Amino acid sequence: MTTVMHYDKSKSQVLRKVSQVPSVLALAQTAPDANRFGESFRILLRWKGSIYKFIWRDLLVYYFLFYLLSILHSVLDDDGKKTFQALAKYCLKNSNSINLMIMLTFFTTTAMQRLFSMQTTIPGTAKVITCFIMSIKPNLLEGPIIVEQFARWTVLAWILTFRVVCKPLRTMFPDMISLQVAGIIREKERVILERVETEGNKTPRALVVIDWMLLLLKETAIHNRFAEKSNHLKVIEILMTFKKSCGNTIKFATKNIPYALIQAAIIVVYAYGLVTLMARNFEEAGSSGFLEGIVNYFPVIPSMQFFIFLIWLNFGRTAVNPFGTDEEDINVKLLLETHIQDSFRLANLYTQDLDQIFGIMPQQPYNEASLLQNTIPVLK
């Protein structure tokens, strides 16, 4: 099995690779110290992953339309201005009657609960692979082959699971051929999985691969390759937990938030924005003087209210699809690379000893004495 990503050995590539290590990313994304003086202002000026990056296009369109309407009002005749001012007065009167709080609260709460439940059920591969490796007998001639097969199928099941919910991963692996080219799947396995869909079998491909893993555990138990008989049931239990997590992830895509709810939230927010475009108080501007006129032509407060609701809406929409391509989305490609590297590392544990890593260990004499004691009863 080869890795999905091929890296150069140059220094720049190595530095870039190190910057993508999960532990390094976690350190870089740690929340800043709130007690540090001026930290709040530094956070407000941050561009990457900021709200400004979300809404700057909407901000330009909003102010463009606002001043376009202002120019339209200035070129209208007296009757047209009266009609425009009557419409503006009506919008001003009803701008505060649109209750967005209930709609956005319900939408964002539903999206965030769904996101949190999804994050807690994301399947991992390390526990399944490690438990299998540590459960079988050491020094089996066929051991490395079985371990490699089990580890590769675990990663394959993970990939097939997230291809359902993650568009970037579907782009990365558009079909089974691409998985075979990456070395994650064998030709015979690819043919079987492609036949699953052509035969009308509705079982997700990831669960089909997990069935292969169960059959491999059955074969391992039949041929007495487990160190203890109870290890068979322990590995099956962990594998079924992994299967449940994969199934819950697939349900995440099939049971999405209704589009009607998303559309309703979008329509209400943008309708409020359109209303605030026309909401102007020409009576106060004409009677009280120049200051109120400036306020009417620089809509700071109305636009601020609209963009607070717009930010809230975008936050909920990001939570609806956490596996997209935005900076705030879960980096599934990085997770995939991590799982592949973990599968290599864990599979190598079967044929490794501490002596190969550190040389002669302090407990080496005790290990030899223990082995000698275990062999004496056998010789007798």
Side-chain angles (χ1 to χ4, degrees), residues 100-126:
L100 296 180
M101 300 296 292
I102 297 177
M103 170 67 72
L104 289 176
T105 300
F106 177 75
F107 172 63
T108 54
T109 301
T110 303
M112 291 306 300
Q113 286 179 347
R114 182 171 172 270
L115 173 62
F116 291 150
S117 62
M118 178 62 222
Q119 290 177 337
T120 56
T121 57
I122 289 180
T125 60

Side-chain angles (χ1 to χ4, degrees), residues 11 45 54 63 66 72 83 86 108 116 128 131 141 178 192 209 214-215 221 251 269-270 299 322 340 345 347 354 359:
K11 184 177 180 181
L45 296 177
F54 269 119
Y63 277 98
F66 183 88
L72 177 63
T83 304
T108 54
F116 291 150
V128 184
C131 185
L141 293 178
S178 59
I192 294 174
V209 175
L214 289 171
L215 291 176
K251 291 178 183 178
V269 171
Y270 280 98
I340 291 176
R345 176 177 52 82
L354 285 175

Side-chain angles (χ1 to χ4, degrees), residues 225-240:
R225 294 184 178 123
F226 283 109
E228 297 180 6
K229 292 184 178 180
S230 60
N231 290 345
H232 180 214
L233 297 178
K234 292 179 182 178
V235 179
I236 288 180
E237 182 180 355
I238 294 176
L239 181 58
M240 295 307 294

